[in-house]
Structure formats: structure tokens, C-alpha cells
Amino acid sequence: GGSFANCLPHPTALTPAARATTFASAQDSATEQCVRSLLRRAGLPEGLQIERGVGGEREWPRGFVGSVTHKGTVVLGVIAARSSIAMVGVDLERIDRSDLLPIEHLIAPEGLPPGTDPQLGRLLAFSAKEAVFKAQYPTSRQRLAFSDVRLVWAEGEREEGFRAVVDCAVARLEVRAALVGKWLVSSAIAK
């Protein structure tokens, strides 16, 4: 992954209508470049077409799982052999995002990660559940609500990030999240 911010013209150089289409086009291009890079790193042909399913999920090549996320001008992706990981989902959020207090009861009815600042805890719960949704949907086709996913956060040292076991209809998922600069990166995996 990476940022495509330097590929965009200065906002004042565009009309308001052109800003949205230029941004969307640049984001689509950066996402496709990320997917091509993932394919190359997995030893697959870069030109391989990765179609989109009815639910918007990417249909990765047979024997592989993957996930792509973007926030603002940053795109991030992951691919893995299905022989090592059964499901994977990734989510990216800015730490300085507006507070999620008004919807805390929806995103974390089971409670926030212990020992975290409430604002960060809400963002962690939101991002972790987004990663869970992205990991499980291509396999289960279940449209889970936030309340369908219960996170049981591990207590302990935060230097290596945050970990949670996932309690939901899809078995074997766990979440790992880390703060990277101004970003929160969450991944959900099932082995």
C-alpha cells in the first residue's frame, strides 16, 4: 500500500465538481496498483483480473485470500495463500477521526478494550469489527451487524498492539490492531 496524495493536483486547481471525480479516479487507480503489487508479491501474474462479487468483495484467485482498504489518500492491502490463512480482512482508520461516542452502543455493546482512552477504544472496536466483516464475508456471505460480533480484548502490554478473540457466527477469527503514526491498522484473520 501507500499514499497517492502526491498524484493529485492542488485542490484550488480544480472546480468543486472536478475534485470529487479526480479523487475517485486517483483512488481507484491506486487501489488497482496495490492489487497488482499484491499479485506480483504472491507470485501471481500482475495482469490477472480480480473481479468484484455481488457484495462488492474482491474475488481473489483460487487458493488465495486477501483484503484491501483505503482511507483518504492511503491504500493498504494484504494477500495470503489459503493454505496458511483461511480468512483475512484489513481496515485502516485515522486516529484523529471524529469521536464515535454517539454510536458506541452500536459498535461496542460488549464494552471497550480495557485500559484504553475511550475515544481510541471506540475507534479500535469500530476498526476491528470492520476487519472482521471484510474477512468473513467472502467465505460466509453473512452480513453481520456490529452487535453480531463480540470482541474479547486481551489485556497486557500494548507495545505490540491490541489483540482480541472474536465471538460471532464465523468461527476461528481473531483481531490484531496497531497504532502506526496517525493511523490505526486492524486485521482479522482465521487460520
Side-chain angles (χ1 to χ4, degrees), residues 10 27 31 107 114 166 171 184 187:
H10 193 278
Q27 188 176 62
T31 301
I107 60 174
V166 179
L184 170 63
S187 63

Side-chain angles (χ1 to χ4, degrees), residues 50-60 66-68 88 133-141 143:
I50 305 300
E51 301 295 328
R52 303 292 291 252
V54 177
E57 75 284 1
R58 294 185 189 278
E59 295 179 348
W60 297 97
S67 182
V68 176
V88 64
F133 301 151
K134 292 175 184 180
Q136 64 82 35
Y137 185 78
T139 301
S140 73
R141 299 288 192 239
R143 294 201 176 273

Side-chain angles (χ1 to χ4, degrees), residues 77-151:
V78 61
I79 191 170
R82 194 175 287 276
S83 60
S84 63
I85 305 245
M87 291 179 261
V88 64
V90 65
D91 186 64
L92 178 69
E93 301 292 337
R94 285 189 58 111
I95 294 171
D96 60 358
R97 174 188 175 131
S98 62
D99 192 21
L100 298 170
L101 179 61
I103 61 170
E104 179 179 331
H105 65 286
L106 297 174
I107 60 174
E110 71 277 15
L112 300 176
T116 60
D117 167 76
Q119 186 168 341
L120 176 59
R122 287 186 287 274
L123 188 61
L124 273 163
F126 176 84
S127 183
K129 289 183 180 188
E130 286 290 315
V132 168
F133 301 151
K134 292 175 184 180
Q136 64 82 35
Y137 185 78
T139 301
S140 73
R141 299 288 192 239
Q142 292 186 44
R143 294 201 176 273
L144 300 175
F146 284 115
S147 60
D148 294 331
V149 177
R150 184 174 179 273
L151 300 172

